[in-house]
Amino acid sequence: GDAWIEPYVNAGIEVVVLAEWAAKRTQRFFPGHAGLAMASWVHDWLAEHHFDVIVLMDWQGHGFYALEAKRTGLRFQHSLFVTQLHSPSLWHALNNAELVTDPLQSITYHMERMSVEHADAVLSPSAYMLDWVTRHGFHPPPRSAVLPNLIDLPAGATPRRRMRRPVRELVFFGRLEYRKGLAQFCD
């Protein structure tokens, strides 16, 4: 459903569901690669609007065509593109010890790499992730910085420094994936 949209609308933020927007447009064919189609929709939607700053995620490379258009001088020359590092698909594959079986996955890897390299600036939630992309052959722009994810605490709350009672139960809150530390948790 659209229940997730309501809080944004109530806060005065316009929400555009790109798949719905694209369904009303002329469709292009992309050979079995949803990421290429989404990157095309992102480019086309942005081309109809103007923004001073455009923030994109690295994952899936949805900003690929828009960033290429700016890099080649076709459009978006007056917009600043910021790519938010989250976790490239290559990071997922390597840290989950996954064997890639779909050759089209290399397209996603390339789109994500270019989303980092062709951005005007890159923000990473951790020094680890910024270092990881650099060690794995990505070339982030000089305007790259670490900006940790913000955590909302209830009014008046302060983080606890130590436990005040014995721990009786441990709960694993995360995807059931190797890279999320599931093996270490079970050990």
Side-chain angles (χ1 to χ4, degrees), residues 5 10 27 37-38 53 60 63 76 84 86 88 93 102 105-106 127-129 139 145-147 154-155 162 169 181:
I5 294 175
N10 291 342
Q27 297 294 309
M38 181 59 77
V53 179
Q60 304 257 324
F76 308 122
Q84 172 69 45
H86 180 64
D102 182 359
Q105 184 60 37
S106 62
Y128 162 81
M129 188 54 69
H139 302 286
V146 174
L147 180 64
R162 65 183 122 134
E169 181 179 30

Side-chain angles (χ1 to χ4, degrees), residues 120-141:
D120 297 304
V122 166
L123 294 177
S124 177
S126 67
Y128 162 81
M129 188 54 69
L130 191 55
D131 182 58
W132 187 92
V133 295
T134 302
R135 284 185 292 111
H136 286 82
F138 289 60
H139 302 286

Side-chain angles (χ1 to χ4, degrees), residues 23-182:
K24 300 172 188 165
R25 318 289 285 192
T26 303
Q27 297 294 309
R28 297 182 187 152
F29 174 74
F30 293 95
H33 197 285
L36 284 172
M38 181 59 77
S40 176
W41 298 341
V42 167
H43 168 274
D44 294 350
W45 189 85
L46 288 172
E48 293 182 7
H49 301 81
H50 171 76
F51 298 98
D52 295 327
V53 179
I54 300 167
V55 180
L56 304 161
M57 283 186 50
D58 63 328
W59 189 66
Q60 304 257 324
H62 294 160
F64 176 72
Y65 286 125
L67 288 162
E68 288 298 304
K70 181 172 183 177
R71 184 183 68 81
T72 57
L74 294 175
R75 57 175 45 111
F76 308 122
Q77 299 309 300
H78 300 290
S79 295
L80 176 76
F81 279 90
V82 178
T83 295
Q84 172 69 45
L85 275 180
H86 180 64
S87 52
S89 297
L90 180 61
W91 181 83
H92 286 268
L94 292 174
N95 288 293
N96 281 328
E98 294 174 354
L99 294 174
V100 177
T101 57
D102 182 359
L104 292 180
Q105 184 60 37
S106 62
I107 294 171
T108 303
Y109 293 161
H110 177 75
M111 292 169 63
E112 291 174 345
R113 182 180 300 265
M114 294 303 101
S115 292
V116 170
E117 295 186 7
H118 295 159
D120 297 304
V122 166
L123 294 177
S124 177
S126 67
Y128 162 81
M129 188 54 69
L130 191 55
D131 182 58
W132 187 92
V133 295
T134 302
R135 284 185 292 111
H136 286 82
F138 289 60
H139 302 286
R143 291 167 67 179
S144 296
V146 174
L147 180 64
N149 293 329
L150 301 176
I151 300 173
D152 283 338
L153 293 175
T158 57
R160 291 187 183 180
R161 296 289 178 211
R162 65 183 122 134
M163 296 299 294
R164 299 180 196 272
R165 60 182 185 258
V167 175
R168 294 197 165 101
E169 181 179 30
L170 294 175
V171 178
F172 182 82
F173 185 76
R175 287 190 213 134
L176 300 180
E177 296 177 349
Y178 179 80
R179 71 182 175 85
K180 292 292 187 176
L182 184 60

